[in-house]
Amino acid sequence: MAHRIFTEEYDAIRKILKTESFSSDAAAQRLIASLRSVVATDGPNKSQGRALDDLRDQCERGLLNKVFGSRKEKEAEGILALAGDDTRLAKKAAALKALRHFYLMTKFGGHSLWVNSLPAHYRKWTTEQLGGISNKDQLKTELKKIEGRFSSQQMRDLVSCSQTAAAWANRTHGMCSKTSGLGALRVDRLIRRWFADEDTTDADIKSMRATLREGFKKIATAALSGKMVFTDNPIDRGTADENNFAYVWYDRLNVVYIEGQFFKPGLFSGPRHWALIVVHELSHSQCNTVDVPGHYDFDGIKPKRGTFPSSKAITNADNWAWFSADCNFALTQKNRDDALK
């Protein structure tokens, strides 16, 4: 069955690394052992992330400095040399090529994010793009595809916005944990702004505060886990599905799919907008929020009796994301007016 999601590709890579034999060269064996440690069962292991840089270093210069030629030629020959003999060569090369485009991004303070930036040319996950190729020259042509889906700047922006989203979620959880004093009054006012309709009672606000408190704790934990993965989905490339900002799917792992519209403006633009999208998506995966039809931020997400009651707003991902942004002083009055219509 064709891979539809990142977790399926990740598991395929783990299986190949575990069951296949690679180059017998001692340095190559050490690298393969480290790569096996990266792809842990419960998600990538950041303590072993350096192995991915080592793999890219080997590709850049050719395995053990034995390969000469262009950068792309070195990449292809280096991966093939590391794969070893021709037994199931394409499958082994595909797993190595996939990991060559997998990055552990870190920020000051210890925040980390995994970014999967597959060659822009690919239209399938790597083990399927390459795994069935029997012609070695054709395989080399695919291995020479180096330019990833995300630029270096975009990858830096992704780790930065994931750090911002984690900070937002953490602060929002802390605010929702307040039960008295000025802090509690402020968060209750914000809950009313983003979730209350004309019929909402004080008891409803208290109940929603508890829901949001537990939800944002889960979001913060996921964002700070060191196992969160941002990737696009190569099977979406060139299709209408690429025209999304982002989405989550039925992954066992903590994955957010970053699509073609992510870096384009919404009701506002730049790092705050990107963080807002990440919180929106993590509310789906961690808190089972939904996208209530007709109630994305550009439609207007102000709760209203009958058309968009509080009971719907508290389930709507955009309300969660905008509430968190507001808790973190990230919105202007115009931003609020644009969304609360």
Side-chain angles (χ1 to χ4, degrees):
M1 181 180 294
H3 299 171
R4 299 289 300 177
I5 58 177
F6 176 82
T7 296
E8 293 171 341
E9 175 73 352
Y10 182 90
D11 288 343
I13 293 166
R14 288 188 68 248
K15 183 177 180 180
I16 292 168
L17 290 177
K18 181 179 179 179
T19 60
E20 298 293 339
S21 297
F22 292 80
S23 170
S24 59
D25 179 271
Q29 285 290 305
R30 289 193 296 272
L31 178 55
I32 293 297
S34 296
L35 292 173
R36 289 183 178 124
S37 297
V38 172
V39 286
T41 305
D42 62 344
N45 178 1
K46 69 177 183 179
S47 71
Q48 298 296 321
R50 176 64 199 174
L52 300 174
D53 294 326
D54 292 341
L55 172 60
R56 282 185 284 273
D57 289 345
Q58 297 284 25
C59 291
E60 187 172 333
R61 65 176 183 263
L63 187 67
L64 304 180
N65 297 309
K66 293 179 181 178
V67 178
F68 300 94
S70 69
R71 180 188 175 198
K72 292 182 178 181
E73 187 72 22
K74 287 180 179 180
E75 169 122 349
E77 293 292 351
I79 288 175
L80 291 174
L82 187 57
D85 63 41
D86 287 353
T87 305
R88 292 180 288 280
L89 180 63
K91 180 185 289 189
K92 293 184 289 185
L96 295 171
K97 179 65 169 171
L99 291 176
R100 177 258 181 268
H101 290 275
F102 195 39
Y103 298 83
L104 174 60
M105 307 292 293
T106 58
K107 286 283 288 181
F108 179 79
H111 180 77
S112 60
L113 173 75
W114 299 86
V115 177
N116 192 49
S117 183
L118 297 181
H121 166 82
Y122 290 5
R123 292 296 182 269
K124 299 177 182 178
W125 294 104
T126 310
T127 61
E128 295 192 332
Q129 181 84 19
L130 278 62
I133 297 175
S134 56
N135 181 286
K136 195 168 185 178
D137 288 335
Q138 183 182 353
L139 179 59
K140 285 177 64 175
T141 297
E142 292 297 315
L143 291 173
K144 290 178 185 178
K145 307 295 184 183
I146 294 177
E147 292 76 14
R149 166 65 178 79
F150 302 115
S151 68
S152 296
Q153 182 59 55
Q154 286 176 330
M155 289 198 291
R156 289 192 292 271
D157 289 339
L158 288 173
V159 69
S160 291
C161 77
S162 72
Q163 184 178 41
T164 299
W168 283 9
N170 201 40
R171 178 181 174 83
T172 305
H173 168 254
M175 289 185 64
C176 291
S177 299
K178 297 181 184 300
T179 58
S180 62
L182 293 177
L185 289 174
R186 179 173 184 266
V187 76
D188 285 355
R189 185 173 70 251
L190 294 178
I191 292 171
R192 284 194 176 276
R193 177 180 291 166
W194 294 103
F195 299 102
D197 63 22
E198 299 88 336
D199 298 327
T200 300
T201 66
D202 289 345
D204 294 330
I205 295 295
K206 182 178 180 181
S207 176
M208 286 190 286
R209 190 198 311 136
T211 297
L212 293 164
R213 180 180 66 245
E214 293 308 309
F216 277 101
K217 181 179 180 180
K218 293 177 182 178
I219 293 172
T221 298
L224 293 167
S225 67
K227 294 184 177 295
M228 186 163 65
V229 177
F230 284 3
T231 182
D232 80 318
N233 193 327
I235 66 175
D236 291 341
R237 295 174 180 176
T239 74
D241 289 335
E242 191 176 21
N243 294 321
N244 289 312
F245 287 105
Y247 64 87
V248 293
W249 205 237
Y250 298 104
D251 281 271
R252 183 185 82 254
L253 303 179
N254 182 11
V255 183
V256 178
Y257 295 90
I258 305 298
E259 293 296 321
Q261 298 296 311
F262 183 88
F263 290 107
K264 296 182 179 179
L267 289 184
F268 53 93
S269 60
R272 291 180 304 143
H273 182 232
W274 308 332
L276 189 103
I277 296 171
V278 173
V279 173
H280 173 117
E281 297 305 332
L282 290 177
S283 79
H284 283 322
S285 63
Q286 305 303 314
C287 310
N288 297 316
T289 63
V290 299
D291 295 321
V292 176
H295 292 287
Y296 285 103
D297 52 13
F298 51 79
D299 299 309
I301 55 174
K302 180 178 176 60
K304 299 181 183 72
R305 180 196 297 124
T307 57
F308 187 46
S310 178
S311 60
K312 291 288 187 182
I314 195 62
T315 71
N316 193 46
D318 259 356
N319 288 73
W320 280 61
W322 281 77
F323 167 70
S324 186
D326 213 359
C327 285
N328 284 270
F329 305 98
L331 302 177
T332 65
Q333 188 57 51
K334 183 180 185 307
N335 295 151
R336 296 187 194 95
D337 291 344
D338 287 342
L340 292 171
K341 58 186 180 183

